[in-house]
Amino acid sequence: MSHNTFGKLLRMTTWGESHGPMIGAVVDGCPPLIPVTEAEIQVFLDKRRPGRSRFTTQRREPDKVRIVSGVFTDEESGNQVTTGAPISLIVENTDQRSKDYSEIKDKFRPGHADFTYQQKYGIRDYRGGGRSSARETAMRVAAGAIARKIVPAMDIRGALVQIGPHSIDYSRWDWNEVANNPFFCPDCEMAKLWEEYLDEVRLSGSSIGAVVEIMASGVPAGLGEPLFSRLDQDIASGLMSIPAVKGVEIGAGFAAASLTGEENADEIRIKNGAPDFTSNNAGGILGGISTGQAIIARFAVKPTSSILRPGKTIDKFGSETEIMTKGRHDPCVGIRAVPVGEAMMALTLADHYLRHRAQIGKGV
Amino acid sequence: MSHNTFGKLLRMTTWGESHGPMIGAVVDGCPPLIPVTEAEIQVFLDKRRPGRSRFTTQRREPDKVRIVSGVFTDEESGNQVTTGAPISLIVENTDQRSKDYSEIKDKFRPGHADFTYQQKYGIRDYRGGGRSSARETAMRVAAGAIARKIVPAMDIRGALVQIGPHSIDYSRWDWNEVANNPFFCPDCEMAKLWEEYLDEVRLSGSSIGAVVEIMASGVPAGLGEPLFSRLDQDIASGLMSIPAVKGVEIGAGFAAASLTGEENADEIRIKNGAPDFTSNNAGGILGGISTGQAIIARFAVKPTSSILRPGKTIDKFGSETEIMTKGRHDPCVGIRAVPVGEAMMALTLADHYLRHRAQIGKGV
Amino acid sequence: MSHNTFGKLLRMTTWGESHGPMIGAVVDGCPPLIPVTEAEIQVFLDKRRPGRSRFTTQRREPDKVRIVSGVFTDEESGNQVTTGAPISLIVENTDQRSKDYSEIKDKFRPGHADFTYQQKYGIRDYRGGGRSSARETAMRVAAGAIARKIVPAMDIRGALVQIGPHSIDYSRWDWNEVANNPFFCPDCEMAKLWEEYLDEVRLSGSSIGAVVEIMASGVPAGLGEPLFSRLDQDIASGLMSIPAVKGVEIGAGFAAASLTGEENADEIRIKNGAPDFTSNNAGGILGGISTGQAIIARFAVKPTSSILRPGKTIDKFGSETEIMTKGRHDPCVGIRAVPVGEAMMALTLADHYLRHRAQIGKGV
Amino acid sequence: MSHNTFGKLLRMTTWGESHGPMIGAVVDGCPPLIPVTEAEIQVFLDKRRPGRSRFTTQRREPDKVRIVSGVFTDEESGNQVTTGAPISLIVENTDQRSKDYSEIKDKFRPGHADFTYQQKYGIRDYRGGGRSSARETAMRVAAGAIARKIVPAMDIRGALVQIGPHSIDYSRWDWNEVANNPFFCPDCEMAKLWEEYLDEVRLSGSSIGAVVEIMASGVPAGLGEPLFSRLDQDIASGLMSIPAVKGVEIGAGFAAASLTGEENADEIRIKNGAPDFTSNNAGGILGGISTGQAIIARFAVKPTSSILRPGKTIDKFGSETEIMTKGRHDPCVGIRAVPVGEAMMALTLADHYLRHRAQIGKGV
């Protein structure tokens, strides 16, 4: 992990600003001979794309991805496959409205990176948030689409499980519902309530936080490294690297603080000839290493900091002032964080899959 | 981050097993001319040492640390100081009771790393948990004692804020109380309740989870890197690397999911000529970079998996069986996680302090 | 160092194939507020550009570089400066002649990476060498142009000192001559001889090896890390990463094997109040750390493997065959390696400059 | 590579000073279930041990290695094997003669790291060279002994091929001779000449440089990474990290500068059903990736800087002075560099073997 690079053996480096000519990612260390097309990647980008419903920012970007290196046509199959060389992905920025930036050029929007970027670097590209814009996450989703293909049998899915005070009912969880509403909500009852609630938030010019849950199934036992590249540690690192995330938990998570040893213990039995756990408070990870159960992680997303109400702040000259962020924003940025969370999970697991192969010498 | 190494520029590598001859850490990348003595390090090790009260494991280890490289006497001051060379720290294991390990040699203790280590490596040092023993965290505390000295003015303190269902009352928070009870509890009322509650847990042979809070003050604005070595990300990574931790949050954390944009916004004013935030839901970090406010992180520790009740499990031959872990264990392993959490915070911040100096060219 | 990334704190990642749509580099970790323009970078690219004389490949590429992220206009100075965000550099491939690749598609050209890429990856983009084409070095030169600006007062220059059996006379060294001939030759007499000699080589369809010398002056004392990121080690690593390089030496280099301790010793005196060495067999580096003297490195470049004579080889089906590489090639690829060597030296020194600042806390 | 750590997946971190209580290495990332004993490692340490003949330093150290972590008894075989946990190796320093260091405490010995360490760190452990002592290389040899066991069928051998002006006759090369003389010389005729020559050098209080050649056979085709972790690059990095090394070359090396394309080309044929090269100017590496031929590297070692003649230098107060290094030293430090070079080659190849498995998914 370093500056703008994520991963150790499968490495994603993202670059680009919200209002520059383009954004991109370089995915390095990918195994060769993996079939990959722009269309496959586009499917995931489209899930994250803004403007899909009235609950996400109205910025209109086609977000068309181009693969400009690292693939070649396999003569035998006729498929376009990876060659083992770095895969360069590019998305052009098309909707860079020539706004008036005088309002945010010198003032620090509360809750944004404006203040800290200026403190650290002494300069910042303020147009649309520049480098700190959530637009960067489009490239994570694109890179994640490649990562998904590296681990055979792995399936990664995400869902929104809480908006503001309204949590889903886990007993109603239905993965099929996730695609049926604009919230990636697995509980169709709750989706209805959210629609009403979020309209209210949106129309009042406010915003609200959320919780996302990511599940990875088909992950073999044995992935992870002891102590300082624990699988749970690196998943936490990946999810916490998503803008606006303020908390991460694995399995029972914070609820484990209230459990006794008996309640928390996931006992082990043999089922169909294979080890099987009677519960999954561990979230599929013990001692930093995957158990073969589903890996479960959740992360909390803070409310969008840009709201249609004036807030107290200072400017870069050290004077007190007020600011109100106009423009197109997500009332609940947690919604679009779902495909981003899936991508970070995929990248983390694929990286560990390669690391495992290195030390142990075989796939798992 | 790699296998057994934590950090990028300030790198701690730990080694050793619970029942081997010794455990150790190598701290590399430390700036030169920093005064450091074994006695200073010992202070922090003693806070983590087992057997300090009836609420922690009764294993008796003096845990005396030796510095065997990387320091030299500064001629001018007469102090022992770092030389910029790797600092090797060693603690001998003295209380390796020659137990009968036949019970755990082939059986997987639920909640422990036994199953996953065996799956991954095909072998494990089962004596006292071997490499996965929490004993390794002693070396983190030792290394953390050095890290604390790298960032001028930085002060890192930790406290236990929840045991089982019993959370402290934040309005009663008093840092001075932390040293007055065996729980690192800042709320003297709650400490009494915990004493009673934990005696119950302990005598019943059970265990219970906990939540730890770490605060770092005196951290300058500007530490952190955008996107993939965000300060919050690396803090989450460091805390999640502690055995038994299942969740991490920064500032408002998971509570931010229930907040509106207005409630969550930390407005900025000028106070005594410097930027000052009217609240700290951000936990001292915006856009992955420190704001200059106190950095606040919390982590959830699961209940000790070793309990005095038989549990269902399997053995390494694939047969179903039962196991009951005898021996000396912590009823609430969260207590001794407090100094470990402080150490990981110190190591993370010192690493980022060096990284910041590299890119920006001056201290902050 | 990893796959396609060079450097630890200043990191260059290159991507792209010889006959893909474009090639590029991402430079990450660059300090902010450093003025940088496309025109400045272009100067160095033009030195490496093919087709400048009859002694380099006749492939015609304008090699126009674009900076598509990581820079912004500094309000005060009006200059375009770095922002601390990753700098993405792109060069479009324009001269991708639609050649007939049937000859090299299945056959391994001796001396090229064809055989080993196929062995490792099971597939390769054979068009113009694909990823292993020396075209990739254009991006190193572009990145190196940025690296040069990071270390104040540093000046990096390179020269060709040997072609085939013909070495320059060091007593005639004149840096001003380097720009006066198509060989970057500092000895104007030798440049004439080389012209004649290389015409012969070229017209016979053969090729020849060379030696390049790089000198970095203005490098402060103290850069480097002990033992495993020694400055000489990392310079060797950087220069050996250039395609076709077979040897690297620092200061006296291999000649030091024939020297006695007395002959090799660089004695130290005080000159103008500062330490001064009476000779520089060390090449400016002692114990892996810079002395403040000029840093001197040389590297040997093998002859271009593509020659106009048929050679014995095998094809990917395991049959013996012959191959003759037609097309546009450099008779002495060492010539164009000069600006590439300068770039790798600049990147290595700038990286170590940042590393030094990190550990020592101030510029040097 | 970082400070005191070598390798990416197989990582060796060394620590300790010449006159501290002990020196050590942590080897991390080693695959599990590899049999390893102290006795096996000791064999290699004994080859490097000082005082084996009158041609190496008379410091007497038993250099007994202890493995204090990372191994366990395999129940099935009864062997001590690696567990995948970090392997900590320790060697106690026993012969720390309490010398009078007043001579070297403040003065910088020419050719040593004294000046640069003081410049960089502002302090140094001057006793016996402290951290910069060649004593550190004992730990590399110990770690290398483990690395040798990771790649099946790999065999690594080294020899001294030049002392001062006297190069061996390659036509007389006999690996069996290497153990028959105190120089690791494969040419028994030359060994006799060297004995005479080196006695002269030794008795005159002088020292002399040397060239070492390392050969790795049994290395499968496919190891290496394109462009920035090329196998030749990382071998050069490893060998150049050895103290006193001033040059590294692969295959034909610097001689390639004088070769034509025809002379340099290693043509490929099929022999016994496998690819076979008619020559090995490439030194077993093409495009940064191993060909399956023997890997050949050479490195130049400068003469020992400590000689029994006074030299001009300065002290740390900036005054001009003279110094003569008394004490026990190697007249030709290149001799003992042979086992160190073997170790660095073993570590580099084993690291790349693991890296290859990661990306390609199977052994090679």
Side-chain angles (χ1 to χ4, degrees):
Chain A
M1 317 295 166
S2 178
H3 295 97
N4 296 280
T5 298
F6 185 81
K8 181 170 174 182
L9 294 187
L10 183 73
R11 301 174 68 77
M12 164 183 63
T13 302
T14 69
W15 54 266
E17 283 80 26
S18 176
H19 286 58
M22 53 182 96
I23 56 176
V26 182
V27 179
D28 200 7
C30 186
L33 299 173
I34 294 181
V36 59
T37 64
E38 290 174 352
E40 281 174 301
I41 298 175
Q42 196 63 47
V43 170
F44 293 97
L45 270 177
D46 287 348
K47 285 176 69 178
R48 196 212 74 103
R49 190 156 43 87
R52 298 212 318 164
S53 79
R54 67 183 183 276
F55 303 113
T56 57
T57 172
Q58 295 307 299
R59 175 168 174 157
R60 298 269 169 201
E61 292 277 8
D63 279 0
K64 283 292 169 204
V65 70
R66 282 182 70 196
I67 306 177
V68 294
S69 76
V71 295
F72 201 62
T73 304
D74 179 36
E75 211 169 46
E76 284 174 50
S77 66
N79 290 333
Q80 177 173 271
V81 300
T82 57
T83 61
I87 303 165
S88 179
L89 304 167
I90 285 177
V91 169
E92 307 229 359
N93 290 329
T94 54
D95 186 20
Q96 307 142 261
R97 294 198 191 171
S98 53
K99 286 205 293 186
D100 176 13
Y101 291 112
S102 54
E103 177 77 1
I104 61 167
K105 190 168 70 74
D106 298 330
K107 294 181 181 178
F108 303 129
R109 294 167 298 164
H112 281 277
D114 302 350
F115 173 73
T116 50
Y117 268 58
Q118 187 72 35
Q119 286 283 318
K120 185 177 188 77
Y121 301 112
I123 190 171
R124 70 185 209 280
D125 180 346
Y126 43 76
R127 301 167 305 160
R131 181 63 185 150
S132 71
S133 163
R135 183 148 180 71
E136 180 265 354
T137 60
M139 299 321 302
R140 305 186 187 204
V141 171
I146 296 171
R148 284 169 185 271
K149 306 196 75 172
I150 293 175
V151 189
M154 178 173 77
D155 183 41
I156 293 172
R157 288 184 286 187
L160 207 62
V161 298
Q162 183 185 338
I163 291 185
H166 305 293
S167 293
I168 64 156
D169 181 339
Y170 274 77
S171 71
R172 286 197 298 254
W173 191 295
D174 180 354
W175 279 112
N176 295 320
E177 288 298 328
V178 164
N180 291 341
N181 59 71
F183 310 109
F184 303 108
C185 179
D187 169 357
C188 64
E189 300 290 311
M190 185 51 69
K192 286 177 216 153
L193 192 152
W194 284 354
E195 187 155 357
E196 211 170 308
Y197 174 72
L198 211 53
D199 264 333
E200 217 173 281
V201 169
R202 184 173 61 86
L203 294 171
S204 71
S206 183
S207 65
I208 189 71
V211 175
V212 176
E213 180 165 324
I214 308 289
M215 187 183 87
S217 54
V219 178
L223 299 197
E225 288 177 0
L227 301 174
F228 296 124
S229 275
R230 298 164 78 96
L231 191 57
D232 36 6
Q233 173 188 7
D234 284 356
I235 290 171
S237 169
L239 297 177
M240 197 65 109
S241 78
I242 302 171
V245 172
K246 299 303 289 180
V248 178
E249 59 182 14
I250 307 288
F254 276 87
S258 306
L259 297 179
T260 63
E262 301 89 289
E263 290 164 341
N264 185 60
D266 301 319
E267 294 187 314
I268 321 178
R269 300 281 79 186
I270 296 291
K271 192 172 166 185
N272 303 326
D276 186 66
F277 292 74
T278 57
S279 53
N280 192 8
N281 286 309
I285 301 172
L286 281 174
I289 297 171
S290 64
T291 63
Q293 303 295 105
I295 290 174
I296 308 285
R298 272 176 304 281
F299 58 97
V301 186
K302 72 178 184 181
T304 317
S305 297
S306 299
I307 47 177
L308 293 175
R309 300 184 187 179
K312 291 175 181 162
T313 192
I314 60 173
D315 61 25
K316 72 175 185 184
F317 310 107
S319 302
E320 298 192 339
T321 181
E322 288 214 335
I323 194 166
M324 188 175 83
T325 323
K326 291 162 213 135
R328 304 151 296 168
H329 295 289
D330 294 281
C332 177
V333 77
I335 299 171
R336 289 171 61 210
V338 174
V340 182
E342 291 176 2
M344 295 313 298
M345 178 67 89
L347 286 158
T348 304
L349 290 171
D351 187 30
H352 270 283
Y353 181 76
L354 301 186
R355 290 153 86 152
H356 180 82
R357 279 207 305 214
Q359 191 175 12
I360 305 302
K362 57 180 188 292
V364 274
Chain B
M1 317 294 166
S2 180
H3 295 97
N4 296 280
T5 298
F6 184 82
K8 183 172 173 180
L9 293 187
L10 183 72
R11 301 174 68 78
M12 164 182 64
T13 302
T14 69
W15 54 266
E17 282 82 26
S18 176
H19 286 57
M22 53 182 96
I23 56 176
V26 182
V27 179
D28 200 6
C30 186
L33 300 172
I34 293 181
V36 60
T37 64
E38 290 174 353
E40 281 174 300
I41 298 175
Q42 195 63 47
V43 170
F44 292 98
L45 270 177
D46 287 348
K47 284 177 68 179
R48 196 212 73 102
R49 192 157 40 87
R52 298 213 314 164
S53 79
R54 68 183 182 278
F55 303 113
T56 58
T57 173
Q58 297 306 300
R59 175 169 174 156
R60 300 267 169 202
E61 293 277 8
D63 279 0
K64 284 291 168 206
V65 70
R66 283 182 70 197
I67 306 177
V68 293
S69 76
V71 294
F72 200 61
T73 305
D74 180 35
E75 211 169 46
E76 283 174 49
S77 66
N79 290 332
Q80 178 173 270
V81 300
T82 57
T83 62
I87 303 165
S88 180
L89 304 167
I90 285 177
V91 169
E92 307 230 359
N93 290 329
T94 53
D95 186 20
Q96 306 141 261
R97 296 201 189 167
S98 52
K99 287 206 294 188
D100 176 13
Y101 292 111
S102 55
E103 178 75 1
I104 62 168
K105 190 168 70 72
D106 297 331
K107 293 181 182 179
F108 303 128
R109 294 168 298 164
H112 281 277
D114 302 350
F115 173 73
T116 51
Y117 267 58
Q118 188 72 34
Q119 285 284 317
K120 185 177 188 78
Y121 300 111
I123 190 171
R124 69 185 209 281
D125 180 345
Y126 43 77
R127 301 167 304 159
R131 180 65 186 148
S132 72
S133 163
R135 182 149 180 70
E136 180 265 354
T137 60
M139 299 322 301
R140 304 186 187 205
V141 171
I146 297 172
R148 284 170 185 270
K149 308 196 73 172
I150 292 175
V151 189
M154 178 173 78
D155 182 41
I156 293 173
R157 290 184 285 187
L160 206 62
V161 298
Q162 183 184 338
I163 290 185
H166 306 293
S167 294
I168 64 157
D169 181 339
Y170 274 76
S171 71
R172 287 197 298 254
W173 191 295
D174 180 355
W175 279 113
N176 295 320
E177 288 298 329
V178 165
N180 291 341
N181 59 71
F183 310 110
F184 303 106
C185 180
D187 169 356
C188 63
E189 301 290 311
M190 186 50 69
K192 287 177 216 153
L193 193 153
W194 283 355
E195 188 156 356
E196 210 169 309
Y197 174 73
L198 212 54
D199 263 332
E200 215 172 283
V201 170
R202 184 173 62 85
L203 295 171
S204 71
S206 184
S207 64
I208 190 70
V211 175
V212 176
E213 181 164 324
I214 308 289
M215 187 182 86
S217 54
V219 178
L223 299 197
E225 288 178 358
L227 301 174
F228 296 124
S229 275
R230 298 164 78 97
L231 190 57
D232 36 7
Q233 174 187 5
D234 284 355
I235 290 170
S237 169
L239 297 177
M240 196 65 109
S241 79
I242 302 171
V245 171
K246 301 303 288 181
V248 178
E249 57 182 15
I250 307 289
F254 275 88
S258 305
L259 298 178
T260 63
E262 301 89 289
E263 291 165 341
N264 185 61
D266 301 318
E267 294 187 313
I268 322 178
R269 301 281 80 186
I270 297 292
K271 193 175 168 184
N272 304 327
D276 185 66
F277 292 73
T278 57
S279 53
N280 193 7
N281 286 310
I285 300 171
L286 281 174
I289 297 172
S290 63
T291 63
Q293 303 295 105
I295 290 175
I296 308 285
R298 274 176 303 281
F299 58 95
V301 185
K302 71 177 185 182
T304 317
S305 296
S306 299
I307 48 177
L308 293 175
R309 301 184 188 178
K312 291 175 182 163
T313 191
I314 61 173
D315 61 26
K316 72 176 186 183
F317 312 107
S319 302
E320 298 191 338
T321 180
E322 288 213 337
I323 193 166
M324 188 175 82
T325 322
K326 291 162 214 137
R328 305 152 294 168
H329 295 289
D330 294 283
C332 177
V333 77
I335 300 171
R336 290 172 60 212
V338 174
V340 182
E342 290 176 1
M344 295 313 296
M345 178 67 89
L347 286 158
T348 305
L349 290 172
D351 187 30
H352 270 283
Y353 181 76
L354 302 186
R355 290 154 87 151
H356 181 81
R357 280 208 303 213
Q359 191 175 11
I360 306 301
K362 57 179 189 295
V364 273
Chain C
M1 316 297 167
S2 178
H3 294 96
N4 296 279
T5 298
F6 184 81
K8 182 170 174 182
L9 294 187
L10 182 73
R11 302 173 67 78
M12 164 182 64
T13 302
T14 69
W15 54 266
E17 283 81 26
S18 175
H19 286 57
M22 53 182 96
I23 56 176
V26 182
V27 179
D28 201 7
C30 186
L33 300 172
I34 293 181
V36 60
T37 64
E38 290 173 354
E40 281 175 300
I41 298 175
Q42 195 63 46
V43 169
F44 293 97
L45 270 177
D46 287 348
K47 284 176 67 179
R48 196 212 72 103
R49 190 157 43 86
R52 298 212 317 164
S53 79
R54 66 182 182 279
F55 303 113
T56 58
T57 173
Q58 296 305 300
R59 175 168 174 157
R60 299 269 169 200
E61 292 277 8
D63 279 1
K64 284 291 168 206
V65 68
R66 283 183 70 196
I67 306 176
V68 294
S69 75
V71 294
F72 200 61
T73 304
D74 180 34
E75 212 169 45
E76 284 174 49
S77 66
N79 291 333
Q80 178 173 270
V81 299
T82 58
T83 62
I87 302 165
S88 180
L89 304 167
I90 284 177
V91 169
E92 307 230 358
N93 290 330
T94 54
D95 185 20
Q96 307 140 262
R97 294 200 188 168
S98 52
K99 286 206 293 186
D100 176 11
Y101 292 110
S102 54
E103 177 76 2
I104 62 168
K105 191 168 70 73
D106 298 330
K107 294 182 182 177
F108 303 129
R109 295 168 298 165
H112 280 276
D114 301 350
F115 173 74
T116 50
Y117 268 57
Q118 188 71 33
Q119 285 283 318
K120 185 177 187 78
Y121 301 112
I123 190 171
R124 71 186 208 279
D125 180 346
Y126 43 75
R127 301 168 305 159
R131 181 62 185 149
S132 71
S133 163
R135 183 150 179 70
E136 180 265 352
T137 60
M139 300 321 302
R140 305 187 186 203
V141 171
I146 297 172
R148 283 169 185 271
K149 307 196 74 172
I150 292 175
V151 188
M154 179 173 76
D155 183 41
I156 293 173
R157 289 184 286 186
L160 207 62
V161 297
Q162 182 184 339
I163 291 186
H166 306 294
S167 294
I168 64 157
D169 180 339
Y170 275 75
S171 71
R172 287 196 298 254
W173 190 296
D174 180 355
W175 279 113
N176 295 320
E177 288 298 329
V178 164
N180 291 341
N181 58 71
F183 310 110
F184 303 108
C185 180
D187 169 356
C188 64
E189 301 290 311
M190 187 50 69
K192 286 176 217 155
L193 193 153
W194 283 355
E195 188 155 355
E196 212 170 306
Y197 174 73
L198 212 54
D199 263 332
E200 216 173 281
V201 169
R202 184 173 60 87
L203 295 171
S204 71
S206 185
S207 65
I208 189 71
V211 175
V212 177
E213 180 165 326
I214 307 289
M215 186 183 88
S217 54
V219 178
L223 299 198
E225 288 177 357
L227 300 175
F228 297 125
S229 275
R230 299 165 78 96
L231 190 58
D232 36 6
Q233 174 187 7
D234 284 356
I235 289 171
S237 168
L239 297 177
M240 197 65 110
S241 79
I242 302 171
V245 172
K246 299 303 288 182
V248 178
E249 58 182 13
I250 307 288
F254 275 88
S258 306
L259 298 179
T260 62
E262 301 89 287
E263 291 164 339
N264 186 61
D266 301 318
E267 295 187 314
I268 322 178
R269 301 280 79 185
I270 296 292
K271 193 174 167 185
N272 303 327
D276 185 66
F277 292 75
T278 58
S279 53
N280 193 8
N281 286 309
I285 301 171
L286 282 174
I289 297 172
S290 63
T291 63
Q293 303 296 104
I295 290 174
I296 308 284
R298 272 176 303 282
F299 58 96
V301 185
K302 71 177 185 182
T304 318
S305 297
S306 299
I307 47 176
L308 292 176
R309 300 184 188 179
K312 291 176 180 162
T313 191
I314 60 173
D315 62 24
K316 72 177 188 183
F317 311 107
S319 303
E320 299 192 338
T321 181
E322 287 213 337
I323 193 166
M324 189 175 81
T325 322
K326 292 163 213 135
R328 304 152 296 167
H329 295 289
D330 294 281
C332 176
V333 78
I335 300 171
R336 290 170 62 211
V338 174
V340 182
E342 291 176 2
M344 295 312 297
M345 178 68 88
L347 287 158
T348 304
L349 290 171
D351 188 30
H352 270 282
Y353 181 76
L354 302 186
R355 289 153 87 151
H356 180 82
R357 280 207 305 214
Q359 191 176 10
I360 306 301
K362 57 179 189 292
V364 273
Chain D
M1 316 297 166
S2 179
H3 296 96
N4 296 279
T5 299
F6 185 82
K8 183 171 174 181
L9 294 187
L10 183 72
R11 301 174 67 78
M12 164 182 66
T13 302
T14 69
W15 53 266
E17 282 81 26
S18 177
H19 286 58
M22 53 182 97
I23 55 175
V26 182
V27 179
D28 200 7
C30 186
L33 300 172
I34 293 181
V36 60
T37 64
E38 290 174 354
E40 281 175 300
I41 298 175
Q42 195 63 46
V43 169
F44 293 97
L45 270 177
D46 287 347
K47 285 176 66 179
R48 196 211 73 102
R49 192 158 40 87
R52 298 212 316 164
S53 79
R54 66 183 183 279
F55 304 112
T56 57
T57 173
Q58 297 305 301
R59 176 169 174 155
R60 299 266 169 202
E61 293 277 9
D63 279 1
K64 284 291 169 207
V65 68
R66 284 182 68 197
I67 305 176
V68 294
S69 75
V71 295
F72 201 62
T73 304
D74 180 35
E75 211 169 46
E76 282 173 51
S77 65
N79 290 332
Q80 178 173 270
V81 299
T82 58
T83 62
I87 303 165
S88 181
L89 304 168
I90 285 176
V91 169
E92 308 230 358
N93 290 329
T94 54
D95 185 21
Q96 307 141 262
R97 295 200 189 168
S98 52
K99 287 205 295 186
D100 177 11
Y101 291 112
S102 54
E103 178 75 1
I104 61 168
K105 190 168 71 71
D106 298 330
K107 293 181 182 179
F108 303 129
R109 295 167 297 164
H112 280 277
D114 301 350
F115 173 73
T116 50
Y117 268 58
Q118 188 72 33
Q119 285 283 318
K120 185 177 187 79
Y121 300 113
I123 191 171
R124 71 185 208 279
D125 180 345
Y126 44 75
R127 301 167 305 160
R131 181 64 185 148
S132 71
S133 163
R135 183 149 179 71
E136 181 264 354
T137 61
M139 299 321 302
R140 304 185 186 205
V141 171
I146 297 171
R148 283 170 186 271
K149 308 196 74 172
I150 292 174
V151 188
M154 178 173 76
D155 182 41
I156 293 172
R157 289 184 286 187
L160 206 62
V161 297
Q162 183 185 339
I163 290 186
H166 305 293
S167 293
I168 65 157
D169 180 338
Y170 275 75
S171 71
R172 287 198 296 255
W173 191 296
D174 181 354
W175 279 113
N176 295 322
E177 288 299 328
V178 165
N180 291 341
N181 58 72
F183 310 109
F184 303 107
C185 180
D187 169 354
C188 64
E189 301 290 311
M190 186 51 67
K192 286 177 217 153
L193 193 153
W194 284 354
E195 188 156 355
E196 210 169 309
Y197 174 72
L198 213 53
D199 263 333
E200 216 172 282
V201 169
R202 185 174 61 86
L203 294 171
S204 70
S206 184
S207 65
I208 190 70
V211 175
V212 177
E213 180 165 326
I214 308 289
M215 187 183 87
S217 54
V219 178
L223 300 197
E225 287 178 359
L227 301 176
F228 296 124
S229 276
R230 298 165 79 97
L231 190 57
D232 36 6
Q233 174 187 7
D234 284 356
I235 289 171
S237 168
L239 297 178
M240 196 66 109
S241 79
I242 302 171
V245 172
K246 299 303 286 181
V248 178
E249 58 182 14
I250 307 288
F254 275 87
S258 306
L259 298 179
T260 63
E262 301 88 290
E263 291 165 342
N264 186 61
D266 301 319
E267 294 188 313
I268 323 178
R269 301 280 78 188
I270 297 292
K271 192 173 167 186
N272 304 327
D276 185 66
F277 292 74
T278 57
S279 54
N280 192 8
N281 286 309
I285 301 171
L286 281 174
I289 297 172
S290 63
T291 62
Q293 304 296 104
I295 290 174
I296 309 285
R298 273 176 304 280
F299 59 95
V301 185
K302 70 177 185 183
T304 317
S305 296
S306 300
I307 46 177
L308 292 176
R309 301 185 187 177
K312 292 176 179 161
T313 192
I314 60 173
D315 62 25
K316 72 177 186 183
F317 311 107
S319 303
E320 298 192 339
T321 180
E322 288 213 337
I323 193 166
M324 189 175 81
T325 322
K326 293 162 214 136
R328 305 152 294 168
H329 295 289
D330 294 281
C332 176
V333 78
I335 300 171
R336 289 170 62 211
V338 174
V340 182
E342 291 176 2
M344 295 313 296
M345 178 68 90
L347 287 158
T348 305
L349 290 171
D351 187 30
H352 270 283
Y353 181 76
L354 302 186
R355 288 153 89 151
H356 181 81
R357 280 207 304 214
Q359 189 174 12
I360 306 302
K362 56 179 188 294
V364 273

